[in-house]
């Protein structure tokens, strides 16, 4: 194999092994490594004499379809199917599963208009460029019934399980619900206009920046924190290297001396990334533009799924558009937690003084209350309500080898400034003493 850096992109002039290695870094993980390697090796060898098509394939795959590419063709077989590692399948489906949609059904592909050798055109050559096909809804699936599904409320959840949502019928995999987007363009979850006539929660003017975004690789922050002006309600966080503007944070240009090959591979898959959209006074929606799912820690989605706060990691699939933060719910939650902590602190002080009010006393707190638990709520716990964390490509929690987001290769932390502003108001009206350990 050529001594190529993981970050360099090969051309058709490079050795087959170098090209295969690079294209393997972009596979979606639905197939075994052995099958994927055999399928890619077979294709690269077939294209070795058609350098322009091989270059088109390399460009399409390594840029996640960001640049236009030509047809990438192989000879059509008698029955139309291709055999790889003892398995037969339609060639355009095999490579679309490999590089774009690991759960693709063979009837869900439709070619784009400019594809000259699409499988359905029945030419002697078949185009297998995954970016010359679009995924469409399978016949017979009724899109009118799109609803958000959550897991059975009787399920006992321990630790940070991965929760998800799906259109129409829940699709179970590995014991948790998956979140698949609606499968035709522009059809997103219904957005209720709940913001229309609500007065603002606070009369304070909106902050200059509606959020700030810090990018991490494992437990190391990389680059400066990116602040998004309130004049830019939609911000894109992507894996490209164009200069970042007020509404675009490009992670591809950031360098990290501690970066490993595994982190570099994951960064290659960020692609078009995500869009964060601020609505109303401070609600936040996420649209996944990447070809890979993103994983979100969101107290709002925890509540919607009937989970305890911080109990779940939510998997958001490509093309999905979903609300991840509700300012009013956050405000209510911080008020309730601050009141609980304040009451517990008062009860703890009384306990230290040997005077615990009984349940019969006016405004008293029953001794049965868990003082240590309630008094353990501090300002940092309340700040967590105002923060979203999101990992690209790799998830974490009990369903994954990574237990913490700090073990994922690339992730962002989003501080929501309007929520933090409201927290400041709550703390001024309801000060919380730092919790002291009970004797």
């Amino acid at each position: 194999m050529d001594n190529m850096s993981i970050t360099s992109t090969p051309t058709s002039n490079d050795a087959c092994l170098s090209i295969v290695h690079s294209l393997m870094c972009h596979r979606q993980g639905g197939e075994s490594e052995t099958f994927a390697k055999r399928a890619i090796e077979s294709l690269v060898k077939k294209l070795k004499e058609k350098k322009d098509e091989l270059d088109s394939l390399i460009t399409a795959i390594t840029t996640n379809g960001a640049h236009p590419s030509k047809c990438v063709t192989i000879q059509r077989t008698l029955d139309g199917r291709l055999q790889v590692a003892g398995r037969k399948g339609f060639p355009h489906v095999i490579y679309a599963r490999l590089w774009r949609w690991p759960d693709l059904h063979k009837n869900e592909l439709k070619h784009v208009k400019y594809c000259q050798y699409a499988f359905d055109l029945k030419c002697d050559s078949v185009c297998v460029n995954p970016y010359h096909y679009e995924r469409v809804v399978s016949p017979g699936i009724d899109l009118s019934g799109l609803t958000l599904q959550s897991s059975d409320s009787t399920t006992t959840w321990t630790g940070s399980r991965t929760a998800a949502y799906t259109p129409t019928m829940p699709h179970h995999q590995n014991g948790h619900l998956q979140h698949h987007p609606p499968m035709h363009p522009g059809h997103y979850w219904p957005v209720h206009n709940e913001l229309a006539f609500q007065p603002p929660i606070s009369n304070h003017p909106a902050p200059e920046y509606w959020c700030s975004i810090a990018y991490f690789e494992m437990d190391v922050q990389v680059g400066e924190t990116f602040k998004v002006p309130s004049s830019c309600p939609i911000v894109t966080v992507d894996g490209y290297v164009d200069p970042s503007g007020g509404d675009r944070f490009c992670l591809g240009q950031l360098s990290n001396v501690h970066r490993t090959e595994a982190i570099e591979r994951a960064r290659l898959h960020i692609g078009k990334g995500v869009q964060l959209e601020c609505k109303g006074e401070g609600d936040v929606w996420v649209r996944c533009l990447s070809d890979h799912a993103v994983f979100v820690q969101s107290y709002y989605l925890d509540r919607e799924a009937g989970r305890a706060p911080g109990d779940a990691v939510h998997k958001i699939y490509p093309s999905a558009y979903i609300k991840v933060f509700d300012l009013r719910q956050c405000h209510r939650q911080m008020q309730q937690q601050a009141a609980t902590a304040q009451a517990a602190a008062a009860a703890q002080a009384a306990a230290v003084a040997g005077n615990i009010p009984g349940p019969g006393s006016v405004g008293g707190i029953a001794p049965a209350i868990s003082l240590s638990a309630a008094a353990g709520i501090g300002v940092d716990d309340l700040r967590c309500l105002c923060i979203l964390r999101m990992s690209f490509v790799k998830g974490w929690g009990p369903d994954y080898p990574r237990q913490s987001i700090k073990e994922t290769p690339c992730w962002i932390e989003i501080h929501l400034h309007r929520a933090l502003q409201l927290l400041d108001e709550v703390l001024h009206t309801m000060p919380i003493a730092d919790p002291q350990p009970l004797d």
Side-chain angles (χ1 to χ4, degrees):
M1 181 186 283
D2 288 351
N3 254 341
M4 291 178 55
S5 141
I6 187 76
T7 56
S8 61
T9 302
T11 70
S12 57
N13 293 321
D14 284 299
C16 284
L17 281 176
S18 297
I19 299 170
V20 170
H21 172 74
S22 177
L23 297 179
M24 279 287 285
C25 291
H26 293 266
R27 66 192 180 94
Q28 297 295 296
E31 299 285 2
S32 71
E33 186 171 349
T34 303
F35 179 87
K37 192 171 183 183
R38 292 276 291 277
I40 295 172
E41 282 174 346
S42 166
L43 181 57
V44 169
K45 285 175 182 173
K46 286 185 172 84
L47 297 173
K48 201 58 181 158
E49 301 306 314
K50 298 189 281 188
K51 291 186 180 296
D52 57 336
E53 292 189 24
L54 182 51
D55 281 325
S56 277
L57 175 71
I58 293 167
T59 298
I61 302 308
T62 58
T63 65
N64 295 323
H67 302 291
S69 51
K70 300 175 185 176
C71 284
V72 176
T73 61
I74 60 173
Q75 187 70 30
R76 180 185 288 270
T77 59
L78 286 175
D79 68 354
R81 294 185 300 166
L82 182 69
Q83 182 158 325
V84 177
R87 285 167 45 190
K88 277 196 166 189
F90 295 115
H92 63 314
V93 176
I94 288 173
Y95 293 106
R97 277 183 189 152
L98 201 61
W99 282 308
R100 292 195 73 182
W101 305 287
D103 59 345
L104 180 73
H105 188 270
K106 65 182 180 182
N107 296 327
E108 291 176 345
L109 282 186
K110 175 185 176 184
H111 65 269
V112 296
K113 289 180 181 176
Y114 52 83
C115 182
Q116 297 176 292
Y117 297 96
F119 182 82
D120 292 342
L121 299 180
K122 296 185 167 50
C123 303
D124 289 341
S125 296
V126 178
C127 178
V128 294
N129 185 337
Y131 292 92
H132 276 207
Y133 294 89
E134 294 171 343
R135 189 175 187 176
V136 295
V137 65
S138 298
I141 293 182
D142 179 13
L143 284 173
S144 64
L146 282 177
T147 55
L148 282 176
Q149 306 281 347
S150 66
S151 64
D152 185 342
S153 59
T154 61
T155 304
T156 302
W157 289 86
T158 56
S160 243
R161 287 284 174 194
T162 305
Y165 316 83
T166 179
T168 314
M169 292 298 291
H171 169 62
H172 293 266
Q173 184 176 324
N174 298 334
H176 57 262
L177 283 165
Q178 302 291 309
H179 173 121
H180 293 283
M183 286 184 287
H184 69 71
H187 195 129
Y188 296 107
W189 302 120
V191 179
H192 302 295
N193 194 14
E194 77 271 26
L195 305 172
F197 304 109
Q198 291 186 335
I201 300 171
S202 167
N203 293 322
H204 280 92
E208 182 182 359
Y209 300 97
W210 72 264
C211 78
S212 53
I213 306 169
Y215 170 64
F216 293 83
E217 291 175 2
M218 309 295 277
D219 59 352
V220 176
Q221 182 174 347
V222 178
E224 300 292 321
T225 298
F226 185 83
K227 292 184 176 180
V228 185
S230 292
S231 57
C232 296
I234 299 178
V235 61
T236 303
V237 183
D238 62 35
Y240 301 129
V241 294
D242 292 345
S244 299
D247 63 348
R248 188 170 171 205
F249 186 17
C250 295
L251 306 179
Q253 63 188 355
L254 301 176
S255 59
N256 174 12
V257 294
H258 303 293
R259 186 172 292 154
T260 62
E261 187 170 316
I263 293 173
E264 191 66 72
R265 277 200 304 272
R267 279 168 54 83
L268 288 172
H269 294 302
I270 295 172
K272 296 177 184 176
V274 294
Q275 269 185 352
L276 304 170
E277 182 174 358
C278 182
K279 291 190 175 187
E281 194 177 348
D283 291 358
V284 179
W285 292 67
V286 166
R287 177 174 276 128
C288 181
L289 303 176
S290 173
D291 286 335
H292 292 259
V294 294
F295 299 81
V296 180
Q297 196 173 52
S298 157
Y299 290 127
Y300 170 76
L301 289 178
D302 292 345
R303 184 181 177 122
E304 291 294 295
R307 308 284 177 75
D311 188 43
V313 179
H314 303 268
K315 186 173 186 177
I316 299 180
Y317 275 79
S319 300
Y321 178 55
I322 189 165
K323 185 176 183 177
V324 294
F325 180 81
D326 184 288
L327 187 68
R328 286 176 187 274
Q329 181 209 304
C330 176
H331 187 235
R332 284 193 300 271
Q333 204 168 339
M334 63 175 68
Q335 285 177 316
Q336 288 165 1
Q337 285 188 218
T340 301
Q342 193 180 44
Q348 184 174 317
V352 171
N355 176 27
I356 302 181
S361 58
V362 178
I365 297 174
I369 191 169
S370 173
L371 296 182
S372 58
I377 299 171
V379 174
D380 284 347
D381 298 286
L382 296 176
R383 281 179 60 83
C384 286
L385 300 176
C386 312
I387 294 170
L388 295 168
R389 285 177 158 188
M390 182 185 306
S391 69
F392 295 97
V393 187
K394 302 292 185 183
W396 78 97
D399 295 322
Y400 296 88
R402 299 159 293 275
Q403 295 305 298
S404 159
I405 194 170
K406 293 183 179 181
E407 296 169 39
T408 64
C410 39
W411 58 282
I412 54 176
E413 185 170 87
I414 304 142
H415 290 240
L416 303 171
H417 292 190
R418 185 60 164 177
L420 289 165
Q421 193 180 45
L422 292 177
L423 176 57
D424 194 50
E425 289 181 28
V426 167
L427 293 175
H428 274 91
T429 57
M430 209 181 295
I432 299 177
D434 280 338
Q436 300 297 319
L438 284 172
D439 290 336

